[in-house]
Amino acid sequence: MRSREMWGGVATAVTVALSTALCTPAFADAAADGANSPQSVTLESITVTARRREEQVQDVPLAIAVVNAATLENTGTFNVGKLQQLQPSIQFYSSNPRNSATTIRGLGAPFGLTNDGIEQGVGIYIDQVYYARSATATFDFLDVDQIEVLRGPQGTLYGKNTTAGAINVTSRKPSFTPEARAEVTYGNLGLVQGKASVSGPLVDDKLAFRIGTSYTNRDGTIYNVTTGKHINEQDNLGFKGQLLWRATDDLNITFSADYTHSDPLGFGTLYVREGSTQRPLARQYAALAAASGNYAPPSRDPFDRLTDVDAELSAEQRFGGGSVLVEWDVGPGRLTSVSAYRKWDWGPKNDRDFIGLPITTVSENPSEQRQWSQELRYAASGDKIDYVVGVYGFYQTVDTAGVQVQGPYASRWLLSGANANNPAILDGLRADNEIGLKNTSAAAFGQLTWHVTDDLRVQPGLRFNYDKKEGKYIARVTNSTNTPLTAAQLGVLAPQNYTPEFDDTNVSGDFTVGYDLADNILAYGTYARTFKSGGINLSGLPLDANNQPITAVETVKPESVSHYELGLKTQWLGNKLTANVAAFWTQIDDYQATVTNSQANVIRGYLANAQQVRVRGVELDLSTTPVAGLTLYANGAYNDHEYTSFPDAPCPPELAGGTAASVANPPSAPGTPGGFSPPSCDISGQWLPGISKISASYGVQYELPLPALGSNGSAFFAFDGLYRSKFSSNPSRSIYTDIDGYSLANLRAGVNVGQGWQIYGWVRNAFNEEYFDYLSTQSGSTGLVIGQPGDPRTYGLTVRASF
């Protein structure tokens, strides 16, 4: 009989052991309960087992960074969105949970656009189940044991194709040894956070259970003077239960179910600045505000954290599902089956004019998503050959019933000429949207490792993929008088009715060579050719001269990805120093982005394909334990990124809003009031949005043993830092929406007491750095720039115990 310990990491083995390159420091637990441990960088404790033997992550020649439960808990990393604090190659952006995006090396999702008809390039997997909705990144972790961040394409090992990378979350498993954990945190901004789990046997050696829960509540960081309430709160309550049935010595079956309810008051933005566009001066923000009763924002300093949005806000989510994981040791390997069902209900209410005037009074797109998935996979190892083969099926439905209503100030802000002085034209104009998606995906995949010699390994992988998407978009528009719509009304909200479809098959693959140059020195090289699924536009289409949707652009072609990577993984000084470096080059043809259609002479943005983008860079990870009790680490990334070819991109705000340019009237200089605007702009050679050229995380921890506090007693101090250089916050880089670089410092100090207690105080953003998570512009080319500032200084106390 095979050792169960040898297979202990099989849930991550297929996705880790054959998909590893750079391993950033994983701060391992020094004690089994994980509560008393100082941070260390003992990489020997991080093992992968796909080849039926335990092996160090440093020995496997592909891309991964591992973060364990102790590091997540100690650094306050309680959801995927906060992983960017620890991993510089991850960036996360969110104006609300539905409109969220996680990128790795700057790739993964179009920036600033939510469209149900496309898929994410970064896959989020929890206990081997693919989570299709990007809102997953906003939910609290539930009883997590370890997270692996895989950089670069991963389609030959994952059921769902992931062309930019994957975030693989593994929960703590049911235990046949009774155990319990509990944690309580209190902090400023009214923070209350609690976590607890309990596990143990129900039937000796046959049946074990695990139940975990997490609760987070914190006041919002922006004060709304209109309602007298703070917005952008945190409010999550989640539960997870697992049942492990050891049916035979060779067969384990794990049943899992979870449910999370999130209901914060949010999400809104605030005034940041104004900039000039090509719109006539009387149609820009300052003049429009003056004509609207001398309107003024509550503050022109965004770090006063004041807003006056007047529409009702809500961001309620209900998220849950269940899965059955079957692991059967049969023949020379293991057969794994993962069957899962997920649901996500989204109930938003937004203020889409971003200010305290009734321009757009209602903006709601409640959505219901359901997904079913099945993966069947076999992994085996031998003296010369290791392999993984699998098949995967996925089906998803998304149904959205949206509504948008214009208010009494809509005419003033959205129309021109005499129409701008007639509130009745747009007041009460209403669009009811019916949006639907059926998404089917199937794949067969495999990867093989051939041990040519003791030092040389060759690893090819192959994937066959099929995708089909069927959708509908129906917009019914009515006015307050129930009369035929006028031209002015049609220019703001126009009826649309179209049913896009897309289907495609493709074959992708990768090839890796790894060579041990010496003990503890591994060199590797990888080439991958893969595809991100095509899609359909489900956010409305640009209109032709007759106000009809241009159905020729209702589908989006797949992205074609060519990826190259070279890496070196080393350990020195008796494994006290780890130094890893990787260089990567990724080129994407038919990049899915926000574009405009210059042929039809429209300026409405929609989703289509840019010709080509490219990212390339270097990642360096260092960690060391020079003396007992002292740990230091530094992870850095340099990323050179650009649109290599994008001639028909949307113009930035300073070139938008004017009269259509022509041969007789060429485009005006940026920010020329009353100027002439091109229908599109060539931004080839410009930055991609959301990517810092330089990013880094770094830190130090020192622990001093204190026997007076018990057998594992100690005191500790830790510092963790983050730096990101300037990046663009607009699909087409603008002089108004670059976000300046910033650095954050987080501190914590505390004591470990006895066998299972830890108490520590913490400060995050210790120096109260003022920075933005993202910036955006008000629709209509008014020149208003709005944004969401990052968290201010927060502090609190955490008490943790394990039994």
Side-chain angles (χ1 to χ4, degrees), residues 1-4 7 10 176 205-207 243-255 324-330 333-337 376:
M1 183 187 72
R2 295 175 182 83
S3 165
R4 288 289 168 184
W7 283 101
V10 76
F176 286 94
D205 297 326
K206 284 293 183 181
L207 197 64
L243 192 65
L244 170 61
W245 176 28
R246 185 169 288 174
T248 71
D249 288 343
D250 294 320
L251 178 62
N252 284 344
I253 302 175
T254 304
F255 303 89
V324 180
L325 171 66
V326 180
E327 299 170 306
W328 182 23
D329 296 350
V330 56
R334 165 164 286 188
L335 180 66
T336 300
S337 170
L376 193 65

Side-chain angles (χ1 to χ4, degrees), residues 200-223:
L202 295 174
V203 178
D204 288 346
D205 297 326
K206 284 293 183 181
L207 197 64
F209 77 96
R210 187 173 200 96
I211 298 174
T213 185
S214 176
Y215 171 75
T216 300
N217 187 274
R218 195 191 76 176
D219 294 340
T221 57
I222 298 175
Y223 183 72

Side-chain angles (χ1 to χ4, degrees), residues 146-500:
Q146 183 169 280
I147 295 178
E148 297 90 25
V149 179
L150 293 88
R151 307 171 192 140
Q154 304 297 328
T156 63
L157 281 171
Y158 276 81
K160 200 74 174 74
N161 201 13
T162 53
T163 57
I167 298 172
N168 187 33
V169 181
T170 303
S171 301
R172 293 186 176 101
K173 302 302 181 186
S175 170
F176 286 94
T177 301
E179 64 175 70
R181 300 166 184 266
E183 175 184 313
V184 176
T185 296
Y186 290 95
N188 67 326
L189 300 180
L191 173 66
V192 178
Q193 186 174 69
K195 302 176 185 178
S197 66
V198 60
S199 184
L202 295 174
V203 178
D204 288 346
D205 297 326
K206 284 293 183 181
L207 197 64
F209 77 96
R210 187 173 200 96
I211 298 174
T213 185
S214 176
Y215 171 75
T216 300
N217 187 274
R218 195 191 76 176
D219 294 340
T221 57
I222 298 175
Y223 183 72
N224 188 352
V225 300
T226 300
T227 62
K229 297 179 179 179
H230 286 87
I231 64 171
N232 299 3
E233 295 176 332
Q234 294 176 3
D235 182 21
N236 276 284
L237 175 62
F239 302 92
K240 182 166 187 169
Q242 299 179 77
L243 192 65
L244 170 61
W245 176 28
R246 185 169 288 174
T248 71
D249 288 343
D250 294 320
L251 178 62
N252 284 344
I253 302 175
T254 304
F255 303 89
S256 178
D258 65 273
Y259 174 78
T260 295
H261 180 226
S262 178
D263 192 17
L265 180 58
F267 282 83
T269 55
L270 43 68
Y271 174 100
V272 176
R273 64 175 71 99
E274 302 162 32
S276 295
T277 71
Q278 305 282 4
R279 222 181 187 196
L281 196 59
R283 310 295 304 144
Q284 299 200 34
Y285 175 80
L288 290 169
S292 302
N294 288 317
Y295 168 79
S299 174
R300 295 182 181 273
D301 181 353
F303 295 103
D304 286 341
R305 300 179 183 270
L306 299 176
T307 190
D308 62 351
V309 292
D310 56 335
E312 185 178 359
L313 299 180
S314 178
E316 185 176 15
Q317 301 177 83
R318 298 181 185 272
F319 188 76
S323 66
V324 180
L325 171 66
V326 180
E327 299 170 306
W328 182 23
D329 296 350
V330 56
R334 165 164 286 188
L335 180 66
T336 300
S337 170
V338 187
S339 309
Y341 166 77
R342 305 290 319 162
K343 62 176 289 184
W344 178 67
D345 293 338
W346 166 234
K349 296 180 181 180
N350 303 299
D351 191 315
R352 283 302 178 211
D353 56 53
F354 310 116
I355 61 176
L357 291 174
I359 302 171
T360 300
T361 55
V362 177
S363 179
E364 303 172 7
N365 284 285
S367 181
E368 296 180 350
Q369 185 260 347
R370 305 290 183 266
Q371 71 171 69
W372 298 260
S373 61
Q374 173 64 52
E375 183 170 355
L376 193 65
R377 186 179 64 237
Y378 188 74
S381 295
D383 293 336
K384 283 290 186 180
I385 300 293
D386 308 329
Y387 64 89
V388 177
V389 293
V391 292
Y392 180 78
F394 174 85
Y395 180 71
Q396 175 192 32
T397 63
V398 182
D399 295 291
T400 301
V403 59
Q404 180 174 327
V405 180
Q406 303 305 128
Y409 275 81
S411 294
R412 168 67 61 189
W413 286 71
L414 302 178
L415 301 179
S416 60
N419 288 337
N421 298 316
N422 186 354
I425 295 177
L426 294 185
D427 190 14
L429 186 68
R430 177 186 178 107
D432 290 276
N433 301 325
E434 181 182 347
I435 306 169
L437 170 69
K438 296 179 179 179
N439 181 14
T440 303
S441 179
F445 57 93
Q447 194 174 89
L448 178 147
T449 301
W450 174 29
H451 300 260
V452 182
T453 69
D454 289 344
D455 296 325
L456 177 64
R457 296 168 296 282
V458 176
Q459 182 178 285
L462 193 66
R463 178 186 183 89
F464 177 83
N465 204 77
Y466 170 75
D467 291 289
K468 181 178 181 179
K469 294 181 174 67
E470 302 171 278
K472 65 178 179 180
Y473 184 91
I474 303 171
R476 302 177 179 90
V477 181
T478 57
N479 56 31
S480 60
T481 58
N482 291 318
T483 57
L485 299 174
T486 67
Q489 292 169 338
L490 288 169
V492 175
L493 293 176
Q496 296 196 30
N497 189 331
Y498 62 96
T499 54

Side-chain angles (χ1 to χ4, degrees), residues 116-132:
D116 289 330
I118 63 166
E119 300 182 22
Q120 303 294 310
V122 173
I124 297 177
Y125 296 82
I126 300 180
D127 295 330
Q128 304 192 61
V129 176
Y130 172 73
Y131 283 49

